[in-house]
Structure formats: structure tokens, C-alpha cells
Amino acid sequence: MPPMRLASLTCSNTDILHALHATDRLVAVDSHSDAPGIERAARLGPDLNIDVDALTRARPDLVLASLSVPGMERVVQAVQAAGLNTVILDPTSVPDTAATIRQVGTLLGLPERGEEVAAALEAELAALHRPSPAPARVLVEWWPKPIIAATRDSWVTDLLTSLGAVNALAEREGRSSPLTLDEVRAARPDLIVCSWCGAKKLRPEVIEARGLGVPVVAVPESGLGRPGPRLIEGARQIRAALDALGR
């Protein structure tokens, strides 16, 4: 029986497939995905504007969709309306992310590899934990103008907790929220993480120029904005920044 033909509609799903050594099964992928081994897959356009006709022509046996990108609901509806076999992945925490990796491994007939990747993520995050009597308040900024940052229901909240820090916006509902500069100030962050989604270049100096007097660290979106195995990359960078603060 030939391997299942796969399509991935967002970077986080593609990163999971790469970690599972399954990118050779991809026949279609969004244009933002950058994992190695996807060169022969048809490109479908950006995750919020997937070319469903091109996706259909690729004849995937399974489409890995996602709701982790705001606005993907419309894309998912169009894919399902096209009659394609679709699994929607929507992790909002670190445990959810690990469970999603295991889920995809099982779907592909690779449960042992799924367990290995998920367990490695959990173990590495646990090793980065530092207990603190006064956990650092960290604000993760997804976009600079308007300022948009991760709020309570983002995987960022859980990730920061696993490091021994807290999301400075943990009391604000939703996955992300636009903020005024006064609202950023009121959140009292000890550290701001510049992780702009879709930006060609991170410019932490833009955040520093706001005059808040708060240290800023740049973490690529690939290591923080994708709920998948690469979260460990962002976690390591934030851990180093917290260590530099003595927190």
C-alpha cells in the first residue's frame, strides 16, 4: 500500500511532519512553510488564502488544516466543502501541542515516532524550568502596529509557565489582542519578546524606542508562533533572556 498523500495548510503542521520524517509524503503545502524536504510539494499560497482548486488537483488522501492562525476558519470551510478528507489541528497549550504531535503520528501510522518527538519536547521544556519566588512577567508581541500580543488562551501562556515565568497578559481573554501603549505599560512586563508573524525582519529597536525601559529579545516566529516541535527553539531563547535578567 503506498504512503498516504498529505497536504499541510500551515507552517506548524508542516514542522510536525518534518519532525516525524514524513515530509516526503507531502503533495501540497502552504507557501509560508519552510521545513526541509518539501520542495516537490505543490505550493498553495499563504495559509489565509489557500488555493483550494490547486489543493484538490494534488489529490491528497489527508489534509492537515489548522485554526492556530486567526482567520483560518474560512479556509477550513472551503476545504471541507471541496469534499477533501480533513483533520483540523488546534493546539492552544503545550500539552495540546504534544498531544497533536502524537495524534499526527498515529494518523500516519508512526505512533512510536510521534511519541518520541512529543516526549522530547516535554522533557526539554521541563529541563528549562527555573522556579522563582517572583516569576518574570513576559509579553510576547506578534505585531508592532497596531501592537498585537499573545493573551491568555495562547500556547504562549503555558510555554512561559513551563519556564517559570508568566504571560503578562494572562488575565486578558482570547489568543491574542490589540493593545495600546498604555495597556502594554499597565501589563508591567519585565521582558518583551519581539516575535512578529510574517515579518521579513525582526526589529526589536522599534519596541525599545517606545520608551518603556523594558528589555526586548527577538525570537523568530518559527520558534514561537507555531504550536509544534519548534517551540523548543523559542523556549531556549526566552530562557536565555530570563537568565540574563537573573529571573
Side-chain angles (χ1 to χ4, degrees):
M1 184 174 180
M4 186 182 295
R5 295 168 60 86
L6 304 175
S8 171
L9 305 188
T10 195
C11 300
S12 54
N13 295 350
T14 309
D15 288 346
I16 291 173
L17 293 176
H18 173 62
L20 296 175
H21 303 156
T23 50
D24 59 334
R25 307 185 189 187
L26 275 169
V27 295
V29 68
D30 69 284
S31 61
H32 290 153
S33 286
D34 54 7
I38 62 174
E39 294 77 18
R40 287 191 278 181
R43 291 288 182 163
L44 302 171
D47 47 23
L48 292 178
N49 193 26
I50 293 294
D51 184 336
V52 178
D53 288 338
L55 174 61
T56 301
R57 289 194 298 271
R59 299 181 295 105
D61 300 310
L62 177 66
V63 178
L64 295 180
S66 174
L67 296 178
S68 63
V69 179
M72 283 289 286
E73 294 85 357
R74 177 183 56 82
V75 173
V76 169
Q77 289 171 0
V79 172
Q80 291 177 323
L84 297 171
N85 181 28
T86 306
V87 170
I88 303 166
L89 305 177
D90 190 25
T92 59
S93 68
V94 171
D96 282 353
T97 300
T100 294
I101 293 169
R102 292 182 171 100
Q103 176 189 359
V104 175
T106 298
L107 284 170
L108 303 188
L110 302 169
E112 292 181 359
R113 179 60 185 164
E115 176 60 34
E116 180 182 345
V117 173
L121 174 64
E122 293 167 334
E124 288 190 69
L125 282 173
L128 294 176
H129 180 77
R130 307 285 187 274
S132 172
R137 298 174 60 82
V138 181
L139 186 144
V140 173
E141 183 170 299
W142 295 136
W143 197 248
K145 192 175 182 180
I147 300 170
I148 298 176
T151 49
R152 183 187 65 199
D153 301 321
S154 168
W155 56 86
V156 163
T157 298
D158 209 45
L159 183 72
L160 292 172
T161 299
S162 71
L163 297 175
V166 296
N167 185 347
L169 299 173
E171 296 180 0
R172 197 176 185 110
E173 66 180 15
R175 301 187 189 194
S176 63
S177 175
L179 303 168
T180 65
L181 187 57
D182 283 341
E183 287 174 319
V184 173
R185 187 177 290 109
R188 299 179 289 108
D190 300 301
L191 176 70
I192 296 177
V193 178
C194 175
S195 190
W196 299 341
C197 297
K200 293 182 179 179
K201 182 179 180 181
L202 297 178
R203 298 180 59 199
E205 66 272 14
V206 170
I207 299 175
E208 292 166 348
R210 295 173 189 157
L212 296 173
V214 177
V216 181
V217 61
V219 175
E221 172 269 340
S222 58
L224 196 55
R226 307 176 184 181
R230 295 187 68 180
L231 283 179
I232 192 61
E233 298 172 13
R236 290 175 187 139
Q237 290 181 267
I238 295 174
R239 176 71 269 159
L242 292 171
D243 289 346
L245 292 176
R247 306 293 289 271

